[in-house]
Amino acid sequence: MEQHLGRLIDHVHIRTRKFAESQAFYEAVLGALGRRITSKGDGYFCSDELYVDRSDDYESRIHLAFQAEDRAAVQRFHAAGVASGGRDNGPPGERPYHSGYYASFLLDPSGNNIEAVYHGPQTRSASDVVTIRS
């Protein structure tokens, strides 16, 4: 079995009472970033380290930032999110966090603050980490 993993975060778990709306939102914004839902079933879906499931009790309240490959991806993310039930929480643009920080923010259907950010040109040693479970 082959797994692709990040280096610090094992997974992020979002619980939502608005499951169908959340699935449509995340499929749209992940697609705008060149990603996809990698697994789904009755009451849950995943994309790499992101796990979202239906909740009958509490909902998550988090800020989650996705990496974008360029400014255009940040803009596509924002447009796709608004068109898919997200609410604007900061349009695409430069932010004062550091030079070249270009981001947009959306509230997902449950109110989580979801960001796409491009930090400027960079070279990665790998697109992800591959582990092979024996």
Side-chain angles (χ1 to χ4, degrees), residues 3 5-7 16-17 21 23-24 27 34 45 50 54 56 71 81 85-87 91-93 99 113 121 124 131:
Q3 280 186 300
L5 302 172
R7 291 173 294 258
T16 180
R17 291 187 200 121
E21 297 94 330
Q23 185 169 348
E27 285 177 343
F45 62 89
L50 174 65
R54 178 182 298 121
D56 294 326
R71 288 177 175 222
R87 290 178 288 148
S99 178
N113 185 24
R124 295 186 178 272
T131 64

Side-chain angles (χ1 to χ4, degrees), residues 13-118:
H13 184 175
I14 296 176
R15 300 191 49 120
T16 180
R17 291 187 200 121
K18 298 176 179 176
F19 182 77
E21 297 94 330
S22 292
Q23 185 169 348
F25 171 84
Y26 283 100
E27 285 177 343
V29 299
L30 290 169
L33 296 173
R35 302 290 184 159
R36 62 183 176 80
I37 300 297
T38 54
S39 176
K40 61 183 169 181
D42 185 32
Y44 80 92
F45 62 89
C46 306
S47 179
D48 294 331
E49 292 89 6
L50 174 65
Y51 179 85
V52 179
D53 71 351
R54 178 182 298 121
S55 174
D56 294 326
D57 49 15
Y58 73 93
E59 290 186 298
S60 304
R61 291 290 184 260
I62 65 167
H63 172 194
L64 175 61
F66 294 122
Q67 296 178 30
E69 64 185 23
D70 54 30
R71 288 177 175 222
V74 172
Q75 294 165 1
R76 288 191 309 269
F77 162 88
H78 192 267
V82 170
S84 298
R87 290 178 288 148
D88 175 50
N89 198 31
E94 292 260 351
R95 299 299 193 268
Y97 311 131
H98 67 69
S99 178
Y101 195 110
Y102 189 87
S104 68
F105 299 84
L106 296 164
L107 296 178
D108 77 2
S110 295
N112 292 293
N113 185 24
I114 309 301
E115 174 184 2
V117 59
Y118 174 62

